[in-house]
Amino acid sequence: MSRPRSTPASPITTPPSTATAPVADAAAVQDFIAAGEILGSACFGCGPDVPHGLHIQRTGRDGTTAFAEFTVIPEHQGAPGLAHGGLLATAMDEILGTSAWLLGRRYVTGRLETDYLAPVPVGSLVHLRSWCKGVDGRKAYLEAEGRLGGPDGRVAVRAAALFIEVPLEHFTAKGTP
Ligand SMILES: CCCCCCCCCCCCCC(=O)SCCNC(=O)CCNC(=O)[C@H](O)C(C)(C)COP(=O)(O)OP(=O)(O)OC[C@H]1O[C@@H](n2cnc3c(N)ncnc32)[C@H](O)[C@@H]1OP(=O)(O)O
């Protein structure tokens, strides 16, 4: 039986040799503190008013590493008694997006790779962490993990991602569905 890879990253989500080390942006760090007012309450990942949303709470940061947590409720279930895998990918996307935010530019997820290492029971408190490995032009390379049993407990889910920097118009110029 093959062992889990030590990193979830494929070649697409591995920073190239030309990538530079990430630097936290001072203004973004201030935004992090006031994130609730900036993002509003409609985000499925972190919005407090979204019924059955993840209600992810950001708990801290260190450089471009972001920390957060959420509780898996019955409405998040997939297989009996367990969190839905897509929901856990959403949690990964949210914490990855938070780390990308700390770079001080606007990014969207281009590619998200997720490894599921252990089942996550309904009722679990999932501890999220994400960090940026490098930046190359418009591309930011990030990883994330979700742990059970405490912030340093065992890793149940992990992800690697490529985020792409976009202009403000990406969010304001809505196309016709
Ligand atoms: C306040 C503090 C807290 C804040 C918290 C915030 C929380 C946030 C929580 C929410 C977080 C949730 C976040 C979300 O959920 S974001 C929502 C989910 N993501 C999207 O909706 C993105 C949809 N896609 C697009 O809009 C476009 O495709 C983008 C903008 C990504 C690129 O289209 P664009 O026309 O602009 O650029 P380009 O096509 O010339 O590509 C440029 C380069 O990138 C490379 N490339 C692109 N895609 C991929 C790919 N898939 N794999 C590999 N490579 C890819 C491409 O090869 C090229 O490389 P190169 O040829 O230059 O080498």
Side-chain angles (χ1 to χ4, degrees):
M1 193 175 78
S2 61
R3 293 172 59 80
R5 290 171 288 155
S6 58
T7 170
S10 76
I12 294 174
T13 55
T14 299
S17 58
T18 49
T20 56
V23 179
D25 177 80
V29 168
Q30 285 305 311
D31 287 349
F32 187 89
I33 295 162
E37 292 109 81
I38 294 166
L39 296 170
S41 58
C43 175
F44 181 76
C46 65
D49 297 338
V50 180
H52 306 152
L54 272 61
H55 298 170
I56 290 172
Q57 307 248 342
R58 296 181 187 85
T59 54
R61 51 155 291 277
D62 180 8
T64 60
T65 300
F67 302 90
E69 59 189 32
F70 79 105
T71 298
V72 179
I73 60 174
E75 289 78 5
H76 298 161
Q77 178 175 293
L82 302 177
H84 196 293
L87 179 118
L88 295 171
T90 301
M92 291 289 97
D93 199 23
E94 177 78 18
I95 192 68
L96 287 157
T98 303
S99 179
W101 177 289
L102 290 168
L103 297 169
R105 299 177 187 177
R106 297 176 202 89
Y107 288 96
V108 293
T109 321
R111 184 179 174 88
L112 174 62
E113 300 163 358
T114 308
D115 288 332
Y116 301 94
L117 306 180
V120 176
V122 170
S124 300
L125 177 63
V126 184
H127 300 267
L128 304 171
R129 183 183 309 194
S130 178
W131 57 96
C132 181
K133 297 189 299 177
V135 178
D136 189 40
R138 291 176 60 203
K139 300 178 183 176
Y141 298 82
L142 299 113
E143 288 189 1
E145 60 190 21
R147 294 178 181 254
L148 299 178
D152 296 315
R154 71 175 172 146
V155 179
V157 56
R158 65 185 181 183
L162 173 66
F163 274 62
I164 310 291
E165 185 183 349
V166 292
L168 181 62
E169 294 72 43
H170 180 93
F171 305 100
T172 55
K174 295 186 175 64
T176 305

